[in-house]
Amino acid sequence: MGPVTRPLDPNTYSWPRELGRAGYRSQYVGKWHVHPVHDPTSYGYDEYVPLESYTEWRASRHPSKPIPDDWFGAVDTVPTADSRTHWLAARTSDFIREASASDQPWHARLDLLEPHLPCQPVQEFADRHSAENIPPWRDFADPLVGKPYIQRQQLTTWGVEDYAWEDWAPIVARYYAVIEQLDDAIGTVLAALDESGVAEDTLVIYTTDHGDMGGAHRMMDKHFVMYDDVVRVPLLMRWPDRIPQGTVVDAFTYNTLDLPPTISAITGIAPPDEPHGASLLGEVLPGHGTSVSVGEREHVVATYNGQQFGLFTQRMIRTRTWKYVWNPTDIDELYGLQDDPEEFFNRIDDPQCADELKALRESLYQQLAADGDAIISTDWMVRQLREGRKLGARDLPHGVHPEMSNHV
């Protein structure tokens, strides 16, 4: 089995707790996947509005209109204001208005499910996107030849192995619609900041934990893959009084690792004892940098330890030009991102890439060792990674597709 993953211990460092010690009032609204027993108040938040609060409210207000449960999506028939996105956003807006009336500093976190399977837009936004007008993704026709078996298994698991774009287009239309609905809900929160007169002095951070395949490479959801569709996510910051509008940070960032030291640098609260990330302050506010610069990073690393579809362990390293995915129980993946940004062609067996592959494997090993990743706790796993003791696509029973071996 792979490394054991455990929920975050409430006694570990938590920047909301440090904000509380600095006099901030805080509220958490929405999804909570950090710990099965302890809620946000165990990590420093003063108030918590869980998803269950919306479920209970909706059941009483719309008893004949349960939330659709089709994983492929459906239209939610409640009014926009009564949808999950807007009801939860309203709770955050209420908090902002109340907290801003005091001189006490405050922190609000709104964690919405959307956009996430199943996509359930209300009629107002579903009507704005027609499946007939949505062109296929550029990587939709990926035959998944010369790639890990688990990717084809993902299609079979979801029952989409025979889906044409005509089957996918309605799903993508609902995905677009729910994104627009999410944007509208966020807009109501920003409006609350404006109404409260604190927008100019409030830092807003917008990010997420993962992307969604949504038909990319013909796949559903996010499991078993390290394509950019899943691992490259937005990280937006707005601070009208401080961050110049239009600022773009051209650097590798980690949303969960870089935010704690960034918030520490901005607010003056205690930083993590052993930070794995680095502050973004110097990137968004020139002249306010720290000893560790995000701009100096040459790569990012991502990990996957399996979830509800069974344990399948992965580690990825991505530079500006290459991506290597170590799949300990399947063939590895190597993509040249300049010539193949859609990650169509797995070049793991390409002899022209041997030197690059060796360097990526060593860089990945060094990063995992620095992070204390348990996946390299045995000599067998270390040798597999550092020495490339892996079967390739050509070693599989069906060989490799000619297009894969000829692609340069």
Side-chain angles (χ1 to χ4, degrees):
M1 62 179 294
V4 176
T5 57
R6 297 181 176 87
L8 184 67
D9 190 313
N11 295 316
T12 57
Y13 175 88
S14 168
W15 50 263
R17 183 181 298 115
E18 296 302 324
L19 285 175
R21 290 170 176 165
Y24 282 74
R25 175 186 173 188
S26 60
Q27 181 201 51
Y28 191 109
V29 174
K31 179 180 68 175
W32 176 255
H33 285 175
V34 173
H35 200 287
V37 176
H38 298 284
D39 68 27
T41 60
S42 296
Y43 298 83
Y45 285 94
D46 300 307
E47 304 167 28
Y48 174 40
V49 181
L51 285 176
E52 291 76 13
S53 293
Y54 169 71
T55 304
E56 295 169 1
W57 174 87
R58 175 171 173 145
S60 63
R61 183 170 178 84
H62 299 285
S64 63
K65 296 181 177 181
I67 300 175
D69 60 359
D70 186 344
W71 279 104
F72 290 84
V75 174
D76 193 351
T77 57
V78 299
T80 300
D82 292 352
S83 67
R84 181 169 55 206
T85 51
H86 286 64
W87 189 89
L88 292 172
R91 305 290 73 74
T92 299
S93 298
D94 291 343
F95 173 81
I96 288 173
R97 295 187 185 95
E98 179 188 347
S100 298
S102 166
D103 292 333
Q104 181 182 11
W106 54 265
H107 160 61
R109 173 163 175 168
L110 172 60
D111 207 322
L112 298 170
L113 280 175
E114 292 77 13
H116 197 292
L117 295 182
C119 293
Q120 304 154 330
V122 294
Q123 198 71 55
E124 175 186 354
F125 295 98
D127 288 343
R128 300 182 186 184
H129 298 274
S130 172
E132 291 75 18
N133 298 327
I134 299 178
W137 304 124
R138 289 181 297 177
D139 57 15
F140 177 71
D142 190 346
L144 303 180
V145 177
K147 296 188 176 184
Y149 139 84
I150 199 71
Q151 296 189 18
R152 296 186 299 279
Q153 177 61 49
Q154 206 231 46
L155 305 184
T156 302
T157 297
W158 279 102
V160 298
E161 66 271 23
D162 297 323
Y163 270 32
W165 184 250
E166 290 72 22
D167 302 300
W168 268 107
I171 301 173
V172 177
R174 289 188 287 271
Y175 181 56
Y176 282 167
V178 85
I179 289 174
E180 191 169 354
Q181 180 177 324
L182 168 71
D183 288 345
D184 190 78
I186 296 298
T188 65
V189 176
L190 298 180
L193 286 174
D194 291 334
E195 295 165 9
S196 301
V198 296
E200 297 301 309
D201 195 37
T202 300
L203 171 64
V204 177
I205 301 174
Y206 178 98
T207 190
T208 186
D209 54 348
H210 61 78
D212 191 281
M213 297 303 288
H217 300 270
R218 301 187 288 131
M219 292 184 191
M220 200 85 168
D221 207 15
K222 60 182 184 291
H223 301 278
F224 317 135
V225 293
M226 289 288 185
Y227 291 120
D228 270 8
D229 309 80
V230 169
V231 300
R232 190 175 185 180
V233 299
L235 175 54
L236 309 177
M237 301 174 70
R238 192 191 81 164
W239 199 2
D241 264 0
R242 307 292 181 85
I243 302 176
Q245 186 173 356
T247 299
V248 176
V249 175
D250 184 19
F252 287 118
T253 60
Y254 294 97
N255 57 356
T256 54
L257 299 182
D258 292 339
L259 287 182
T262 300
I263 294 171
S264 170
I266 290 173
T267 62
I269 63 172
D273 296 332
E274 298 179 2
H276 288 278
S279 171
L280 301 172
L281 186 60
E283 306 296 330
V284 298
L285 295 178
H288 293 78
T290 58
S291 58
V292 180
S293 173
V294 172
E296 296 174 358
R297 287 185 182 138
E298 297 180 351
H299 62 251
V300 288
V301 168
T303 66
Y304 180 79
N305 291 311
Q307 286 179 291
Q308 63 259 43
F309 293 110
L311 189 63
F312 183 77
T313 303
Q314 295 179 292
R315 299 293 184 269
M316 177 209 81
I317 185 168
R318 188 196 194 282
T319 69
R320 293 185 182 275
T321 55
W322 291 93
K323 177 184 290 185
Y324 166 63
V325 184
W326 178 29
N327 298 310
T329 58
D330 209 326
I331 63 172
D332 290 347
E333 300 164 77
L334 179 67
Y335 302 106
L337 301 176
Q338 287 183 314
D339 298 330
D340 181 26
E342 287 80 28
E343 303 172 80
F344 239 60
F345 302 98
N346 184 9
R347 302 181 67 183
I348 197 67
D349 289 329
D350 188 340
Q352 297 186 45
C353 304
D355 291 342
E356 189 66 48
L357 175 60
K358 182 178 180 181
L360 288 167
R361 279 174 165 156
E362 181 62 23
S363 294
L364 178 59
Y365 167 76
Q366 295 296 339
Q367 186 67 60
L368 297 180
D371 294 340
D373 195 317
I375 197 171
I376 55 171
S377 60
T378 69
D379 291 341
W380 296 283
M381 296 300 283
V382 170
R383 287 196 296 268
Q384 184 188 129
L385 176 57
R386 299 187 79 182
E387 300 174 19
R389 292 177 176 265
K390 294 296 305 290
L391 295 179
R394 290 186 177 88
D395 300 309
L396 300 179
H398 300 294
V400 65
H401 195 282
E403 290 182 3
M404 301 298 166
S405 58
N406 293 335
H407 178 72
V408 176

